[in-house]
Amino acid sequence: MTTAILECEPSVPMVGRADLRQWADVIRAEYVEFPGLALTAPQVQRLWILDRDTCQGLLDTMVREKFLNQTADAQYVRTDWCRACDGCH
């Protein structure tokens, strides 16, 4: 996997490097399982019971890695699915 998840913004509480990698893997697995999945940051936070800063750091990392894109209505979708719907910025 990638080490970019370890380079989250300083505001992200370090719950542990292994924990961040595991959360990133869990979130990626759901997006792979459900390609059209479109969730806002608060929905991701509630679904996986993450604090706001950790959740946003994980999402920001996945956007930087080009796994996810954020749509105009603040939903996070897979990059390959987003290109198909042309609704991302």
Side-chain angles (χ1 to χ4, degrees):
M1 199 51 58
T2 181
T3 58
I5 192 69
L6 303 177
E7 300 167 5
C8 292
E9 283 73 34
S11 64
V12 176
M14 289 305 293
V15 295
R17 291 172 186 243
D19 291 339
L20 286 174
R21 272 195 288 276
Q22 289 171 340
W23 280 120
D25 290 346
V26 166
I27 294 168
R28 278 189 191 95
E30 291 298 318
Y31 275 96
V32 168
E33 182 73 20
F34 302 101
L37 187 62
L39 299 171
T40 64
Q43 289 171 325
V44 171
Q45 186 180 339
R46 282 191 304 271
L47 183 60
W48 287 291
I49 312 169
L50 296 167
D51 66 77
R52 184 182 56 81
D53 291 337
T54 299
C55 176
Q56 193 60 58
L58 289 164
L59 291 170
D60 290 346
T61 297
M62 286 187 265
V63 168
R64 277 194 311 272
E65 294 173 346
K66 306 217 183 302
F67 178 74
L68 294 179
N69 274 336
Q70 188 175 20
T71 66
D73 58 351
Q75 293 182 323
Y76 290 87
V77 297
R78 273 182 33 189
T79 300
D80 58 344
W81 186 80
C82 188
R83 284 190 195 121
C85 74
D86 198 32
C88 296
H89 53 227

CSV table of all heavy atoms in Angstrom, one decimal, residues 1-3 6 10 13 17 19 26 28 30-31 35-37 41 50 56-57 59 62 75 77 79 81 85 87:
chain,number,residue,atom,x,y,z
A,1,MET,N,0.9,-1.2,0.0
A,1,MET,CA,0.0,0.0,0.0
A,1,MET,C,0.9,1.2,0.0
A,1,MET,O,2.1,1.2,-0.1
A,1,MET,CB,-0.9,-0.1,1.2
A,1,MET,CG,-2.2,0.8,1.2
A,1,MET,SD,-3.3,0.8,-0.1
A,1,MET,CE,-3.9,-0.9,-0.3
A,2,THR,N,0.3,2.4,0.2
A,2,THR,CA,1.1,3.6,0.1
A,2,THR,C,1.4,4.2,1.5
A,2,THR,O,0.7,3.9,2.5
A,2,THR,CB,0.3,4.6,-0.7
A,2,THR,OG1,1.0,5.8,-0.8
A,2,THR,CG2,-1.1,4.9,-0.1
A,3,THR,N,2.4,5.0,1.6
A,3,THR,CA,2.7,5.6,2.9
A,3,THR,C,2.2,7.0,2.9
A,3,THR,O,2.4,7.7,3.9
A,3,THR,CB,4.2,5.7,3.1
A,3,THR,OG1,4.8,6.4,2.0
A,3,THR,CG2,4.8,4.3,3.2
A,6,LEU,N,0.4,8.4,6.0
A,6,LEU,CA,1.2,8.8,7.2
A,6,LEU,C,1.5,10.3,7.1
A,6,LEU,O,2.0,10.8,8.1
A,6,LEU,CB,2.4,8.0,7.3
A,6,LEU,CG,2.2,6.5,7.3
A,6,LEU,CD1,3.5,5.7,7.3
A,6,LEU,CD2,1.3,6.1,8.5
A,10,PRO,N,-1.2,18.2,9.9
A,10,PRO,CA,-0.9,18.2,11.4
A,10,PRO,C,-2.1,18.2,12.3
A,10,PRO,O,-2.0,17.8,13.4
A,10,PRO,CB,-0.1,19.5,11.6
A,10,PRO,CG,0.3,20.0,10.2
A,10,PRO,CD,-0.6,19.3,9.2
A,13,PRO,N,-5.4,13.9,14.5
A,13,PRO,CA,-4.8,13.3,15.7
A,13,PRO,C,-4.2,11.9,15.3
A,13,PRO,O,-4.8,11.2,14.5
A,13,PRO,CB,-6.0,13.0,16.6
A,13,PRO,CG,-7.2,13.7,15.9
A,13,PRO,CD,-6.8,14.1,14.5
A,17,ARG,N,-0.1,5.0,13.5
A,17,ARG,CA,0.1,4.8,12.0
A,17,ARG,C,-0.6,3.6,11.5
A,17,ARG,O,-1.2,3.6,10.4
A,17,ARG,CB,1.6,4.7,11.7
A,17,ARG,CG,2.3,6.0,12.0
A,17,ARG,CD,3.8,5.9,11.9
A,17,ARG,NE,4.4,7.1,12.3
A,17,ARG,CZ,5.2,7.9,11.4
A,17,ARG,NH1,5.4,7.5,10.2
A,17,ARG,NH2,5.7,9.0,11.9
A,19,ASP,N,-3.2,2.2,12.7
A,19,ASP,CA,-4.7,2.4,12.7
A,19,ASP,C,-5.1,3.2,11.5
A,19,ASP,O,-6.1,3.0,10.9
A,19,ASP,CB,-5.1,3.2,14.0
A,19,ASP,CG,-5.0,2.3,15.2
A,19,ASP,OD1,-5.0,1.1,15.1
A,19,ASP,OD2,-4.9,2.9,16.3
A,26,VAL,N,-10.0,0.0,5.0
A,26,VAL,CA,-11.4,-0.3,5.2
A,26,VAL,C,-12.3,0.6,4.3
A,26,VAL,O,-13.2,0.2,3.6
A,26,VAL,CB,-11.8,-0.1,6.7
A,26,VAL,CG1,-13.3,0.0,6.8
A,26,VAL,CG2,-11.2,-1.2,7.6
A,28,ARG,N,-11.3,2.3,1.6
A,28,ARG,CA,-11.0,1.9,0.2
A,28,ARG,C,-11.8,0.7,-0.2
A,28,ARG,O,-12.4,0.6,-1.3
A,28,ARG,CB,-9.5,1.7,-0.1
A,28,ARG,CG,-8.8,3.0,-0.3
A,28,ARG,CD,-7.3,2.6,-0.7
A,28,ARG,NE,-6.5,3.8,-0.7
A,28,ARG,CZ,-5.8,4.2,0.3
A,28,ARG,NH1,-5.7,3.4,1.4
A,28,ARG,NH2,-5.1,5.3,0.3
A,30,GLU,N,-14.6,-0.5,0.9
A,30,GLU,CA,-16.0,-0.2,0.7
A,30,GLU,C,-16.3,0.5,-0.7
A,30,GLU,O,-17.2,0.2,-1.4
A,30,GLU,CB,-16.6,0.7,1.8
A,30,GLU,CG,-16.7,-0.1,3.1
A,30,GLU,CD,-17.6,-1.3,3.1
A,30,GLU,OE1,-18.7,-1.2,2.5
A,30,GLU,OE2,-17.2,-2.3,3.7
A,31,TYR,N,-15.4,1.4,-1.0
A,31,TYR,CA,-15.5,2.1,-2.3
A,31,TYR,C,-15.3,1.2,-3.5
A,31,TYR,O,-15.9,1.3,-4.5
A,31,TYR,CB,-14.6,3.3,-2.4
A,31,TYR,CG,-15.2,4.6,-1.8
A,31,TYR,CD1,-14.9,5.0,-0.5
A,31,TYR,CD2,-16.1,5.4,-2.5
A,31,TYR,CE1,-15.5,6.1,0.1
A,31,TYR,CE2,-16.6,6.5,-2.0
A,31,TYR,CZ,-16.3,6.9,-0.7
A,31,TYR,OH,-16.9,8.0,-0.1
A,35,PRO,N,-18.8,0.7,-6.3
A,35,PRO,CA,-18.2,1.8,-7.1
A,35,PRO,C,-19.0,3.1,-7.1
A,35,PRO,O,-18.4,4.1,-7.3
A,35,PRO,CB,-18.1,1.1,-8.5
A,35,PRO,CG,-18.2,-0.3,-8.2
A,35,PRO,CD,-19.0,-0.5,-7.0
A,36,GLY,N,-20.2,3.1,-7.0
A,36,GLY,CA,-21.0,4.3,-7.1
A,36,GLY,C,-21.3,4.9,-5.7
A,36,GLY,O,-22.0,5.9,-5.6
A,37,LEU,N,-20.6,4.4,-4.7
A,37,LEU,CA,-20.7,5.0,-3.4
A,37,LEU,C,-20.4,6.5,-3.4
A,37,LEU,O,-19.3,6.9,-3.9
A,37,LEU,CB,-19.8,4.2,-2.4
A,37,LEU,CG,-20.0,4.5,-0.9
A,37,LEU,CD1,-21.4,4.2,-0.4
A,37,LEU,CD2,-18.9,3.8,-0.1
A,41,ALA,N,-18.3,13.9,4.0
A,41,ALA,CA,-17.4,13.7,5.1
A,41,ALA,C,-18.2,13.3,6.4
A,41,ALA,O,-17.8,12.4,7.1
A,41,ALA,CB,-16.5,14.9,5.3
A,50,LEU,N,-15.5,7.8,13.2
A,50,LEU,CA,-14.2,8.5,13.2
A,50,LEU,C,-14.4,9.9,13.7
A,50,LEU,O,-15.4,10.5,13.5
A,50,LEU,CB,-13.6,8.6,11.8
A,50,LEU,CG,-13.3,7.3,11.1
A,50,LEU,CD1,-13.0,7.5,9.6
A,50,LEU,CD2,-12.1,6.6,11.8
A,56,GLN,N,-11.4,13.6,8.0
A,56,GLN,CA,-11.0,14.6,6.9
A,56,GLN,C,-9.6,14.3,6.4
A,56,GLN,O,-9.4,14.4,5.2
A,56,GLN,CB,-11.2,16.0,7.4
A,56,GLN,CG,-11.2,17.0,6.2
A,56,GLN,CD,-12.3,16.8,5.2
A,56,GLN,OE1,-13.5,16.8,5.5
A,56,GLN,NE2,-11.9,16.5,4.0
A,57,GLY,N,-8.7,14.0,7.3
A,57,GLY,CA,-7.4,13.7,6.9
A,57,GLY,C,-7.3,12.5,6.0
A,57,GLY,O,-6.6,12.5,5.0
A,59,LEU,N,-9.8,11.3,4.1
A,59,LEU,CA,-10.4,11.7,2.8
A,59,LEU,C,-9.5,12.6,2.0
A,59,LEU,O,-9.3,12.3,0.8
A,59,LEU,CB,-11.7,12.4,3.0
A,59,LEU,CG,-12.9,11.5,3.6
A,59,LEU,CD1,-14.0,12.4,4.0
A,59,LEU,CD2,-13.3,10.5,2.6
A,62,MET,N,-6.9,10.4,0.4
A,62,MET,CA,-7.4,9.6,-0.7
A,62,MET,C,-7.6,10.4,-1.9
A,62,MET,O,-7.5,10.0,-3.1
A,62,MET,CB,-8.6,8.8,-0.3
A,62,MET,CG,-8.2,7.6,0.6
A,62,MET,SD,-9.5,6.5,1.0
A,62,MET,CE,-10.0,7.2,2.5
A,75,GLN,N,-19.7,15.4,-2.0
A,75,GLN,CA,-19.7,13.9,-1.8
A,75,GLN,C,-18.3,13.4,-2.3
A,75,GLN,O,-17.8,13.9,-3.3
A,75,GLN,CB,-20.8,13.3,-2.5
A,75,GLN,CG,-22.2,13.6,-2.0
A,75,GLN,CD,-23.3,12.9,-2.7
A,75,GLN,OE1,-23.2,12.7,-3.9
A,75,GLN,NE2,-24.3,12.5,-2.0
A,77,VAL,N,-16.4,10.4,-4.1
A,77,VAL,CA,-16.7,9.2,-4.9
A,77,VAL,C,-15.4,8.7,-5.5
A,77,VAL,O,-14.4,9.5,-5.6
A,77,VAL,CB,-17.7,9.6,-6.1
A,77,VAL,CG1,-19.0,10.0,-5.6
A,77,VAL,CG2,-17.1,10.7,-7.0
A,79,THR,N,-12.5,8.0,-8.1
A,79,THR,CA,-12.1,8.8,-9.2
A,79,THR,C,-12.6,8.2,-10.5
A,79,THR,O,-13.0,9.0,-11.4
A,79,THR,CB,-10.6,9.0,-9.2
A,79,THR,OG1,-10.2,9.6,-7.9
A,79,THR,CG2,-10.1,9.8,-10.3
A,81,TRP,N,-15.2,6.4,-11.1
A,81,TRP,CA,-16.6,6.6,-11.2
A,81,TRP,C,-17.0,8.0,-11.5
A,81,TRP,O,-17.9,8.3,-12.2
A,81,TRP,CB,-17.3,6.1,-9.9
A,81,TRP,CG,-18.8,6.1,-10.1
A,81,TRP,CD1,-19.6,5.1,-10.7
A,81,TRP,CD2,-19.7,7.1,-9.6
A,81,TRP,NE1,-20.9,5.5,-10.6
A,81,TRP,CE2,-21.0,6.7,-10.0
A,81,TRP,CE3,-19.5,8.3,-9.0
A,81,TRP,CZ2,-22.1,7.4,-9.7
A,81,TRP,CZ3,-20.6,9.1,-8.7
A,81,TRP,CH2,-21.9,8.6,-9.0
A,85,CYS,N,-19.3,10.0,-14.4
A,85,CYS,CA,-20.5,10.9,-14.2
A,85,CYS,C,-20.2,12.3,-14.5
A,85,CYS,O,-21.1,13.1,-14.6
A,85,CYS,CB,-21.1,10.7,-12.8
A,85,CYS,SG,-20.1,11.5,-11.5
A,87,GLY,N,-19.2,14.7,-12.6
A,87,GLY,CA,-19.7,15.6,-11.6
A,87,GLY,C,-18.7,16.1,-10.6
A,87,GLY,O,-19.1,16.6,-9.5
